[in-house]
Amino acid sequence: MINLIIDAANEKIVFVIITDEQSYTTSHINSRENFDNFMELLLKFLKKIKIKISDINRIFVNLGPGKFTSLRISLSIAKAISFANYISLIGFQS
């Protein structure tokens, strides 16, 4: 089971992958520039740890409270990945 966690509600954009054996984390400053490249940052992270989007079983996304634009972008991308790849999407609140 491979889980992806996306949390952009706070001062950093955090991506976490949790597998049965290990967990991997990366973070980036919560800025407009990073949101313009949000998907690219996520894909670089997955490529670095050698996991494909199709390998992911569940996506967890932080629904807030937090910055509106940060939450909107992270949720939109999580929903798009979930919908396109038939991956379960679960929201949580911090």
Side-chain angles (χ1 to χ4, degrees), residues 15-82:
F15 300 120
V16 180
I17 287 285
I18 300 175
T19 67
D20 293 332
E21 296 86 30
Q22 284 186 301
S23 66
Y24 307 91
T25 305
T26 189
S27 64
H28 306 276
I29 295 171
N30 190 339
S31 68
R32 174 157 176 108
E33 181 180 318
N34 283 336
F35 276 108
D36 289 343
N37 300 314
F38 194 92
M39 192 64 191
E40 184 179 331
L41 294 172
L42 177 58
L43 292 174
K44 281 183 183 179
F45 171 59
L46 294 175
K47 184 176 182 180
K48 182 178 177 182
I49 61 174
K50 298 181 174 104
I51 290 180
K52 296 179 265 179
I53 289 177
S54 60
D55 296 334
I56 297 171
N57 302 102
R58 289 186 292 202
I59 300 172
F60 294 86
V61 64
N62 190 346
L63 301 175
K67 299 177 183 178
F68 175 74
T69 303
S70 303
L71 298 172
R72 184 180 66 180
I73 291 171
S74 60
L75 181 58
S76 297
I77 288 177
K79 284 178 78 173
I81 293 169
S82 170

